[in-house]
Amino acid sequence: MKKKYYIIVAVMLLLVGCSSKKMDTYHMEIGKSDAGLDVPIIKTSDTDKIAIGKMLFEEYLKITYENYKNEKGNYVNILKDYKINDIKLDEDLGNGDFLVSVDYDLQSIDGYIEVFKTGNGVESSDNWVKNKYFILKIQNVDKNKYKLSELYTG
């Protein structure tokens, strides 16, 4: 019986460990954008600019909306869900800096959809604001270290 258990465990470990999907890990810290906003700074071994832009954008959403300070002064996670519809490299600015554009949708918790309507997007059902758009300026601050330095709505 014990031998059978070890065989099952070995097969499970083999299957789990044989995934061909590469998972990049990164270290994140919070810095300031050129406008003084809290923004992510990541250190990653990934060199794909679109992947770096996606990592930074997702961390920006978490920083901004998972700790949103409401009118009562309380911190609330107002980000129920999000969907990145498209992300693309717009321009390589040299010195490792680049621009990425992101088309995305945001879903708020009840009572906070107005926050997500700021800038652009179309209000939809179930607290979704769809067709939002950002241009992200990403700055290479050190070897394999990137900062979301500026955000534009178009």
Side-chain angles (χ1 to χ4, degrees):
M1 183 70 167
K2 207 174 193 180
K3 187 176 182 180
K4 193 178 201 180
Y5 170 77
Y6 288 123
I7 291 172
I8 291 171
V9 170
V11 169
M12 287 174 53
L13 289 173
L14 183 63
L15 290 173
V16 172
C18 288
S19 173
S20 63
K21 184 177 180 182
K22 180 185 172 234
M23 297 285 283
D24 185 51
T25 58
Y26 61 90
H27 169 75
M28 197 275 294
E29 59 190 76
I30 297 175
K32 293 289 184 187
S33 71
D34 293 348
L37 301 172
D38 286 341
V39 292
I41 300 172
I42 61 168
K43 184 167 186 164
T44 179
S45 60
D46 202 325
T47 58
D48 183 313
K49 291 178 178 169
I50 293 173
I52 292 166
K54 184 175 188 253
M55 286 182 247
L56 285 166
F57 181 68
E58 289 179 325
E59 290 298 336
Y60 169 77
L61 290 177
K62 292 174 190 174
I63 290 167
T64 304
Y65 299 121
E66 289 184 357
N67 295 297
Y68 180 78
K69 189 174 182 179
N70 67 16
E71 63 279 348
K72 295 178 183 176
N74 299 322
Y75 288 93
V76 181
N77 178 359
I78 65 169
L79 183 62
K80 185 173 182 180
D81 200 3
Y82 68 92
K83 179 183 175 193
I84 296 176
N85 301 314
D86 189 34
I87 185 166
K88 62 183 178 183
L89 178 64
D90 281 349
E91 186 177 351
D92 189 331
L93 301 172
N95 297 325
D97 298 356
F98 54 96
L99 296 177
V100 171
S101 60
V102 184
D103 292 302
Y104 63 102
D105 304 332
L106 296 176
Q107 184 182 31
S108 74
I109 62 171
D110 288 342
Y112 288 90
I113 194 166
E114 294 299 320
V115 175
F116 292 162
K117 287 172 36 178
T118 305
N120 56 41
V122 178
E123 185 175 347
S124 187
S125 60
D126 297 326
N127 293 327
W128 280 98
V129 177
K130 297 190 173 193
N131 302 318
K132 291 191 68 66
Y133 181 78
F134 253 144
I135 298 171
L136 314 174
K137 181 178 180 187
I138 298 170
Q139 179 182 15
N140 180 234
V141 294
D142 200 0
K143 183 177 179 164
N144 300 327
K145 195 171 185 179
Y146 301 90
K147 172 183 164 183
L148 181 55
S149 65
E150 295 179 43
L151 300 98
Y152 310 97
T153 56

